[in-house]
Amino acid sequence: GSIEMEAVLFGRFNLITIGHMEYFKNVIKKYEKINIGITTSDSSTNIPKGFDEFYQMSDNQHKKNIFSVQERCMMLRASLISNDLIDYAKIHIIKRPDYFIDEFNRRFPPEKYQLVLPRDKDINERLTFSKILMREIDVIDIRFETHISDVILNNNQLVEVQKATEKYLDKGCLEVFRSLDGLQRILSKL
């Protein structure tokens, strides 16, 4: 019989937006099981040659984690529950795959796990991940921008941040975000 592939995807998931939820739903429609890796900020000096710019960009993004990996897990879990997706999803805390390539590929072997990325990821970024991780990527279509969270996180106007969180965050995430005093934390980080 054929092996049922599961999807694997990863990211910082600082905040879970309605865009992320649409993305997860579309992945689940195609793969049934989804493995979501929330990345820690671990890095390493052992990086492939020729990708300096990519790693610099990636490192800058990881410096912007306002919430701990456990808090990000809590927000993701709440969102998966509020969208009835928890039975199809498994959350993993993982080291950054771009630095810990072998570890990622051992944990999620390409024979069993299809790496997926959303269409809104920059094409060069997708191609670079494909080269670094030495595996094919299935690109998932989405209508929403998942990285609207960056808009929220890089704003220092209280009212605007508040409006944006209410408009774009998934309701499950929003509850946890409020319990973590997320607004104040974003504003004090800026």
Side-chain angles (χ1 to χ4, degrees):
S2 68
I3 297 175
E4 282 298 306
M5 291 287 270
E6 292 185 16
V8 61
L9 55 92
F10 57 82
R12 292 174 304 141
F13 299 112
N14 244 319
L15 294 170
I16 308 300
T17 63
I18 51 180
H20 285 116
M21 293 322 297
E22 188 209 6
Y23 170 41
F24 299 155
K25 284 173 187 162
N26 290 351
V27 173
I28 288 166
K29 269 185 211 144
K30 195 167 176 182
Y31 290 97
E32 289 184 9
K33 282 262 185 266
I34 181 174
N35 294 272
I36 305 170
I38 295 191
T39 56
T40 62
S41 300
D42 297 299
S43 62
S44 142
T45 50
N46 180 19
I47 60 171
K49 297 248 182 301
F51 297 103
D52 294 357
E53 214 172 295
F54 172 83
Y55 279 95
Q56 213 170 345
M57 178 204 70
S58 193
D59 288 348
N60 286 337
Q61 285 177 346
H62 275 83
K63 285 184 188 125
K64 292 183 190 146
N65 286 342
I66 288 176
F67 301 100
S68 73
V69 73
Q70 284 77 14
E71 290 168 333
R72 288 180 277 143
C73 278
M74 282 163 56
M75 287 190 273
L76 176 57
R77 190 176 162 71
S79 295
L80 291 167
I81 290 169
S82 77
N83 287 272
D84 295 323
L85 299 178
I86 196 72
D87 294 341
Y88 307 97
K90 197 167 175 195
I91 301 170
H92 306 263
I93 294 175
I94 65 170
K95 289 181 182 169
R96 288 172 53 186
D98 46 339
Y99 278 111
F100 299 91
I101 301 161
D102 293 342
E103 196 173 312
F104 179 79
N105 286 331
R106 266 198 309 273
R107 190 164 173 184
F108 302 103
E111 310 77 62
K112 188 171 174 348
Y113 297 93
Q114 175 60 55
L115 179 59
V116 299
L117 285 174
R119 172 92 48 208
D120 72 345
K121 269 253 187 267
D122 172 57
I123 179 127
N124 293 324
E125 202 179 333
R126 289 200 311 259
L127 290 170
T128 304
F129 268 122
S130 183
K131 283 180 196 152
I132 291 172
L133 294 171
M134 296 168 293
R135 56 199 288 172
E136 291 292 310
I137 292 174
D138 185 15
V139 180
I140 304 293
D141 279 311
I142 50 171
R143 288 167 311 166
F144 293 107
E145 169 71 57
T146 56
H147 292 91
I148 199 82
S149 51
D150 292 337
V151 176
I152 297 171
L153 297 169
N154 296 326
N155 195 321
N156 58 3
Q157 304 298 311
L158 172 69
V159 177
E160 282 179 37
V161 174
Q162 197 162 2
K163 273 195 196 134
T165 56
E166 282 161 18
K167 185 175 174 188
Y168 296 116
L169 291 193
D170 174 76
K171 58 184 185 299
C173 172
L174 190 56
E175 271 176 45
V176 178
F177 173 80
R178 285 181 177 141
S179 77
L180 295 170
D181 207 8
L183 272 180
Q184 288 320 116
R185 285 170 66 179
I186 288 174
L187 294 168
S188 65
K189 264 287 190 320
L190 292 161

